[in-house]
Amino acid sequence: MTVTESGSTEAAPVELVTLTIDDVEVSVPQGTLVIRAAELMGVEIPRFCDHPLLEPVGACRQCLVEIPDAGNGRGMPKPQASCTLEVAPGMVVKTQVSSPVADKAQRGNLEFLLANHPLDCPVCDKGGECPLQNQAMSHGNGESRFIDQKRLFPKPIHVSEQVLLDRERCVLCQRCTRFSEEIAGDPFIALLERGAQQQIGIADGEPFHSYFSGNTIQICPVGALTSADYRFRSRPFDLVSVPSIAEHDACGAAIRVDHRRGKVMRRLAGDDPEVNEEWITDKDRFAFTWSSQDDRLRTPLVRDPDSGELVPTSWPGALAVAARGLAGKPAGVLTGGRLTLEDAYAYAKFARVALGTNDIDFRARALSTEETDFLASRVAGRRPDVTYAALEAASTVVLVGLEPEDEAGTIFLRLRKAIKRGVKVVAIASHRTRGAAKLNAELLQVVPGGEAQALAGLQLGEQDIVLAGERLGQVPGGLTALTGLAERTGARIAWVPRRAGDRGAVEAGCLPTLLPFGRPVEDAEARADVAAAWSVQQLPATPGRDTAGIVAALAAGDLQAVVVGGLELADLPDPAAAAGALDAAEFVVSLEVRRSDVTPYADVVLPVAPPVEKPGTFLTWEGRPRQFETVLDTGALPDVRVLAGIAEELGAPLGVRTIGQARAELEELGLWDGARPAPAAAPPARGAGPVGTVTLDTWSQLIDDGRLQDGTGEYRATARPARLKANAGTLAAAGVEPGAAATLSTPSGRAVFIADVADLPDGVVWVPARSEGVHVRALLAAGFGDRVTLGPADGGEGA
Amino acid sequence: MSTLRETLWDPIAGFGVTFRTMFKKPVTEQYPKEKVPTAPRFHGRHQLNRWPDGLEKCVGCELCAWACPADAIYVEGASNTEDERYSPGERYGRVYQINYLRCILCGLCIEACPTRALTMTNEYELADDDRANLIYEKSDLLAPLLPGMVEPPHEMLISDDHHDYYRGKTLPIVEADS
Ligand code: SF4
Ligand code: SF4
Ligand code: SF4
Ligand code: FES
């Protein structure tokens, strides 16, 4: 386990304290705990409650050591808990290694702990990786003298749908409660009762809904906390562990994937002090079954011209059909935000080299040209500037268009840590969310669309950081105001996209105006640079169409073919229109892991590998590369290989066929150091909507029914209930009773939610973007900042 | 050069052994026509034992698989539910396989088993002409149902209380001979 050093990168001069541990003199920084000073010199003192990222409590009493001299010449009369004791100059410490007193104290304590501990190891999920098992072996007595009835509890109890608690196994170390309180800020479990009946239980009244609950399972030093998902699934000695990177958000959390017999059994938090420390979200931990669902594509499919059905075909056959279909047709490329950097690069190169077009865009969502310009001028091809560590060292962090708890869990936890160091968080949002409350955030309340104005009025300094989420790009003038703010005040800004592949796609050149690493398409020098690296004569010089443009051009027939990779139509601004456009397209090539809503329109479907089955790199929102290797070797092909195959058939070889080659080429290209395009002028703000409508505020909650969370029953059951939020006045004006069903409607359709009163501005409603079966985008063709009509549900009373 | 004794006498002397043996009782075993019982503790094919009501003793803990030096055992645990109960506790062995192509019949798995679910029989006929047949599944290894046993899944028939169940408390008490 490691601890992150304080936010600043330059090391402050540390004062060293010299003490003697087991007759060896050591010098350690002042304030070090004895247990860690001993660790530094290679003595492991047994422990349960001590955790380097949690505050010391001294709850389990396992780490007792003898202190013959506390540094003042006097010894301590009884053995002391080394995990709460700070070093002092001249202190003498004797651990179990050199002191029979410490050894006896530790053995005695372990015997106490085991007095009530059940003989559950054969049926306990922790068995084989259990600190209690291990330390009972290394520091315990072989025999127990306890002959009475052990304390019994009915087992297990459900702390949440996902987290189960076997109270008999608990050693009351309070790691779980401390994590929930200190790190996640969700006090969902607490210590109850006293004495022999003391136990961990659900905090009063509040059901344990935390997005980080899985971490408590991992840090519990015994098998008291287990997950319903993994219960009884396998044993640690049977698992093969591979370090990897989570694919669910742009945070790049380090994870450990445990698999056996070709199947992923569980995922654990990896340990990366620079990024996620030792914590991950429940999504990163539990949502890994999506790639092994029944609708997984295993063989290439080609649409039979006679029957109109997709029929399995050989790889060479399918690649040839794909190439024939694409040849000579004006074509575009749509990639979702889930690709790895290498794969995104292959698409970017494929578009330019094989299709001869700049019509490529990774944004499967609402977008604006303002955003395109912003990405080109402020994001692409820059070295990481704002990092996780910088968040801790900032004085104020402003969140705009971003709800970190839902959209970037690792940032949320870092900010939780930062506020303890005095960092102030300001949220520019329509209401104070639970996440914002846990960050102690000051709310700058705005109506969606008003963010630009709020940013323009902000007074910040150079020590301040603004984290802008993806939604700010949908606010006319929002990103321009952000850039203006940075220039005006010197505050640093960072763009925090939602998906793991978004930042990588920007760098790879999956944008109509950008070549890899920020090289502008319109810059002849940049084009020549890339053309030379790719050994091609020239590259298309005119900026291409963005996602909206490609969809419109397909519908209008200006584009006749499209290559779609890893994209959900339902995420696009108008899913029905997008489906119509794909229907109108003459030829659609789809590269997908599983059947998707693009498959029915595809002429050729080429199966590609999910991240777990290939190597790759995700770029975090900071721009930090997070490389990972194959976990399961199934022989599934990465997008690079498939695109290279089509390009070869087209007679315009891609030059890269493997992830390794793509990595090497990216390395060689390097960042662009030439001129960057100046951002265009800000577009006008949206006008007021028609009377009787309300402004929609919405984002995806961490746990919802996204496709990457399929096949995870217990995990999905821990989602927050889907509620519509608006203030009492707004609800009353629409004739909606609080607690009753309300309808949101647009000309495209309607969605029904239960309405809750919350402190939103007048005329604004918030709903989760996706909740069990209700997908706002697909139903309403409306999203963040759009106008919708609010009314009571059919059959409800009111206006 | 060999001596006269070596060339003439030795070949004939060799037949002396043959001649003497003709009058001894033969040790040949007429296997497979006649089967001779093994030593009582002979390490033969494994058996997965049952509780007196037919529920399985195996809890799917994989300790046998861990102990196996030949990596011949594969176990997957799973949860019992109220409607589908295979063993008295929370956990049972959903998949249980022993690969007799690998097993060296050392018995370390038996020592490792915390529930006495796994023991060995004296059955030694473990040969086949198909490799796949030598991977024994749970159904091949489970002990036969004795009178009073019911094929799982079913609820605990001896007692609802776990402690009584394991101690066999509510089983009919057989009076000791007076
Ligand atoms: S917590 Fe550890 S010691 Fe206790 S039953 Fe589980 S594996 Fe055994
Ligand atoms: S449940 Fe685990 S982490 Fe929580 S107090 Fe008990 S032993 Fe410690
Ligand atoms: S046979 Fe015994 S050791 Fe093997 S899994 Fe079953 S209970 Fe565990
Ligand atoms: S580790 Fe020191 S008291 Fe628990």
Side-chain angles (χ1 to χ4, degrees):
Chain A
M1 289 189 258
T2 43
V3 213
T4 32
E5 285 311 315
S6 70
S8 62
T9 33
E10 78 269 16
V14 279
E15 202 147 315
L16 290 184
V17 169
T18 305
L19 73 162
T20 313
I21 301 179
D22 289 337
D23 308 323
V24 180
E25 217 175 72
V26 283
S27 296
V28 294
Q30 197 171 23
T32 308
L33 298 169
V34 170
I35 196 168
R36 257 180 271 305
E39 242 165 48
L40 288 175
M41 54 161 289
V43 174
E44 184 163 326
I45 300 171
R47 84 279 310 263
F48 294 108
C49 66
D50 171 70
H51 190 287
L53 297 176
L54 301 176
E55 299 292 329
V57 279
C60 73
R61 316 311 291 174
Q62 186 55 49
C63 60
L64 299 175
V65 292
E66 195 189 350
I67 313 281
D69 181 351
N72 52 7
R74 286 202 307 274
M76 299 209 182
K78 296 263 171 67
Q80 297 295 310
S82 59
C83 71
T84 48
L85 191 67
E86 282 188 14
V87 294
M91 186 184 245
V92 178
V93 178
K94 283 180 168 291
T95 71
Q96 73 278 5
V97 175
S98 65
S99 154
V101 174
D103 190 50
K104 183 161 183 239
Q106 291 174 5
R107 282 173 192 278
N109 192 64
L110 207 49
E111 201 174 339
F112 272 134
L113 285 181
L114 291 176
N116 268 323
H117 198 82
L119 280 171
D120 262 359
C121 301
V123 292
C124 175
D125 278 337
K126 206 75 169 188
E129 54 179 4
C130 175
L132 181 55
Q133 261 186 342
N134 295 344
Q135 294 181 132
M137 298 300 281
S138 57
H139 301 280
N141 291 332
E143 298 279 325
S144 167
R145 288 171 288 176
F146 187 78
I147 47 163
D148 301 291
Q149 172 85 23
K150 285 179 189 263
R151 180 188 55 180
L152 296 173
F153 287 115
K155 55 195 300 186
I157 53 174
H158 280 256
V159 178
S160 73
E161 292 292 327
Q162 179 69 276
V163 182
L164 308 181
L165 170 65
D166 283 282
R167 284 166 293 172
E168 300 164 308
R169 295 180 193 156
C170 170
V171 293
L172 299 171
C173 72
Q174 299 174 36
R175 274 189 182 183
C176 54
T177 53
R178 281 183 292 151
F179 170 84
S180 309
E181 253 171 62
E182 292 170 20
I183 309 287
D186 305 303
F188 64 100
I189 45 184
L191 267 183
L192 313 174
E193 311 285 349
R194 283 294 171 268
Q197 280 303 312
Q198 194 171 46
Q199 53 180 277
I200 296 292
I202 306 171
D204 259 350
E206 287 244 350
F208 174 27
H209 279 162
S210 171
Y211 285 161
F212 306 96
S213 63
N215 293 302
T216 60
I217 299 170
Q218 192 174 343
I219 59 172
C220 177
V222 293
L225 293 170
T226 51
S227 71
D229 248 2
Y230 179 67
R231 204 166 161 90
F232 305 158
R233 288 292 190 286
S234 59
R235 287 289 176 200
F237 42 83
D238 241 7
L239 297 171
V240 182
S241 303
V242 186
S244 189
I245 300 297
E247 77 276 39
H248 289 297
D249 58 19
C251 291
I255 53 170
R256 188 183 111 191
V257 184
D258 284 356
H259 64 94
R260 94 164 177 181
R261 291 210 167 181
K263 217 172 137 193
V264 176
M265 302 307 289
R266 65 169 175 182
R267 304 210 307 198
L268 298 174
D271 179 2
D272 192 331
E274 295 286 311
V275 179
N276 57 317
E277 304 195 297
E278 290 175 41
W279 321 123
I280 55 174
T281 61
D282 282 1
K283 194 180 196 173
D284 291 344
R285 184 180 303 267
F286 298 121
F288 56 81
T289 42
W290 62 273
S291 62
S292 49
Q293 298 298 300
D294 288 345
D295 55 2
R296 174 79 189 267
L297 295 161
R298 306 272 174 193
T299 50
L301 304 172
V302 170
R303 198 165 293 282
D304 184 74
D306 304 326
S307 68
E309 295 293 315
L310 284 171
V311 288
T313 314
S314 69
W315 271 106
L319 293 177
V321 174
R324 261 203 313 275
L326 289 172
K329 292 194 183 77
V333 180
L334 293 174
T335 72
R338 293 175 189 145
L339 301 176
T340 59
L341 176 64
E342 294 86 347
D343 284 335
Y345 174 70
Y347 280 96
K349 193 169 179 185
F350 181 82
R352 274 73 187 220
V353 173
L355 301 178
T357 177
N358 280 317
D359 289 343
I360 176 169
D361 199 338
F362 72 93
R363 290 168 295 180
R365 54 182 166 81
L367 53 86
S368 61
T369 43
E370 187 188 355
E371 185 187 23
T372 318
D373 289 344
F374 173 82
L375 293 179
S377 62
R378 301 289 310 205
V379 176
R382 285 176 186 267
R383 264 171 240 293
D385 162 34
V386 181
T387 58
Y388 286 106
L391 294 181
E392 277 179 51
S395 86
T396 304
V397 176
V398 181
L399 306 171
V400 54
L402 175 71
E403 175 59 29
E405 196 189 17
D406 283 320
E407 298 173 300
T410 309
I411 294 185
F412 174 76
L413 292 186
R414 238 355 135 89
L415 288 176
R416 284 265 314 157
K417 189 171 169 197
I419 56 171
K420 279 190 223 144
R421 299 181 178 223
V423 176
K424 188 173 138 205
V425 177
V426 177
I428 301 180
S430 68
H431 62 294
R432 191 173 164 87
T433 56
R434 213 173 98 173
K438 282 184 275 191
L439 290 175
N440 235 341
E442 179 190 311
L443 176 67
L444 265 182
Q445 196 168 40
V446 294
V447 172
E451 285 85 351
Q453 222 178 345
L455 283 173
L458 270 189
Q459 280 314 320
L460 294 177
E462 281 176 12
Q463 283 308 306
D464 300 331
I465 292 174
V466 186
L467 296 181
E470 183 178 286
R471 285 190 302 286
L472 188 62
Q474 295 159 35
V475 175
L479 290 167
T480 312
L482 180 70
T483 322
L485 177 70
E487 276 156 16
R488 179 161 55 83
T489 63
R492 284 175 294 166
I493 58 176
W495 178 68
V496 183
R498 270 196 56 229
R499 298 212 163 107
D502 280 346
R503 181 68 198 262
V506 172
E507 301 296 358
C510 289
L511 274 173
T513 56
L514 282 187
L515 294 169
F517 292 120
R519 292 173 173 77
V521 161
E522 283 179 296
D523 190 320
E525 203 184 314
R527 278 203 313 275
D529 192 19
V530 177
W534 287 354
S535 321
V536 289
Q537 285 301 315
Q538 56 177 14
L539 293 172
T542 40
R545 301 176 171 93
D546 60 16
T547 304
I550 293 171
V551 170
L554 282 170
D558 296 339
L559 284 181
Q560 290 167 3
V562 64
V563 178
V564 187
L567 170 126
E568 288 291 307
L569 287 184
D571 292 334
L572 292 172
D574 189 345
L582 286 191
D583 206 15
E586 251 170 67
F587 198 73
V588 178
V589 180
S590 163
L591 280 74
E592 259 300 356
V593 176
R594 296 160 58 196
R595 278 177 185 272
S596 72
D597 50 10
V598 175
T599 313
Y601 306 102
D603 296 285
V604 180
V605 180
L606 301 165
V608 291
V612 64
E613 293 172 27
K614 65 183 174 193
T617 307
F618 286 128
L619 292 186
T620 66
W621 58 275
E622 314 153 282
R624 182 197 300 267
R626 303 289 278 159
Q627 202 163 316
F628 59 90
E629 299 305 319
T630 312
V631 175
L632 297 176
D633 197 355
T634 57
L637 302 182
D639 303 47
V640 174
R641 182 67 193 83
V642 176
L643 291 170
I646 304 178
E648 241 154 70
E649 291 284 334
L650 278 169
L654 210 50
V656 288
R657 299 167 60 118
T658 64
I659 304 275
Q661 287 166 348
R663 277 180 185 167
E665 242 186 59
L666 280 162
E667 184 85 14
E668 209 167 293
L669 271 168
L671 299 186
W672 173 241
D673 43 19
R676 281 166 204 283
R686 290 190 219 199
V691 189
T693 58
V694 290
T695 308
L696 183 64
D697 187 8
T698 179
W699 59 77
S700 294
Q701 291 182 305
L702 184 87
I703 304 175
D704 60 15
D705 69 351
R707 297 255 295 163
L708 258 47
Q709 303 171 59
D710 282 348
T712 49
E714 281 91 3
Y715 156 79
R716 286 262 283 271
T718 61
R720 294 190 184 159
R723 291 297 169 89
L724 177 147
K725 292 189 218 166
N727 70 17
T730 311
L731 289 182
V736 177
E737 293 281 332
T743 319
L744 285 185
S745 53
T746 63
S748 309
R750 55 216 313 271
V752 181
F753 293 90
I754 304 292
D756 270 351
V757 176
D759 185 23
L760 275 83
D762 284 333
V764 178
V765 296
W766 180 89
V767 289
R770 291 188 89 132
S771 43
E772 225 53 52
V774 185
H775 191 172
V776 172
R777 187 54 88 179
L779 291 172
L780 304 181
F784 173 78
D786 289 337
R787 307 288 296 188
V788 294
T789 311
L790 173 68
D794 305 326
E797 324 103 326
Chain B
M1 264 313 280
S2 49
T3 61
L4 197 65
R5 180 188 147 97
E6 274 169 353
T7 32
L8 294 178
W9 175 244
D10 283 2
I12 296 164
F15 281 107
V17 177
T18 316
F19 189 72
R20 253 180 288 137
T21 311
M22 281 168 67
F23 302 99
K24 283 191 183 153
K25 195 169 160 249
V27 292
T28 316
E29 282 174 12
Q30 294 307 312
Y31 179 82
K33 289 194 190 104
E34 280 167 34
K35 285 194 200 173
V36 182
T38 60
R41 296 205 174 183
F42 177 83
H43 284 185
R45 177 179 71 74
H46 301 74
Q47 167 169 298
L48 284 170
N49 298 316
R50 298 179 190 265
W51 291 98
D53 61 357
L55 287 179
E56 296 160 13
K57 283 192 169 175
C58 175
V59 294
C61 69
E62 299 189 28
L63 288 178
C64 47
W66 197 7
C68 179
D71 200 6
I73 307 185
Y74 178 74
V75 187
E76 266 178 38
S79 299
N80 284 313
T81 59
E82 280 315 316
D83 318 320
E84 226 184 329
R85 171 172 294 289
Y86 292 90
S87 73
E90 272 183 272
R91 175 176 178 146
Y92 77 103
R94 189 177 65 82
V95 175
Y96 196 98
Q97 297 175 342
I98 297 184
N99 182 345
Y100 282 106
L101 294 161
R102 303 193 66 125
C103 176
I104 54 172
L105 297 165
C106 65
L108 286 178
C109 46
I110 310 303
E111 281 181 48
C113 181
T115 60
R116 294 226 149 222
L118 195 64
T119 52
M120 278 174 151
T121 63
N122 291 348
E123 166 73 49
Y124 51 80
E125 289 182 314
L126 296 166
D128 208 296
D129 53 10
D130 184 348
R131 304 181 74 87
N133 290 344
L134 283 165
I135 299 174
Y136 280 48
E137 296 283 344
K138 189 165 121 179
S139 50
D140 307 319
L141 294 166
L142 268 173
L145 292 167
L146 298 177
M149 289 184 174
V150 184
E151 180 67 33
H154 58 71
E155 70 274 32
M156 289 152 63
L157 299 177
I158 304 176
S159 166
D160 274 347
D161 182 90
H162 278 99
H163 298 269
D164 290 349
Y165 185 98
Y166 294 125
R167 297 191 185 107
K169 265 209 185 137
T170 53
L171 276 185
I173 296 164
V174 185
E175 292 289 327
D177 289 335
S178 44

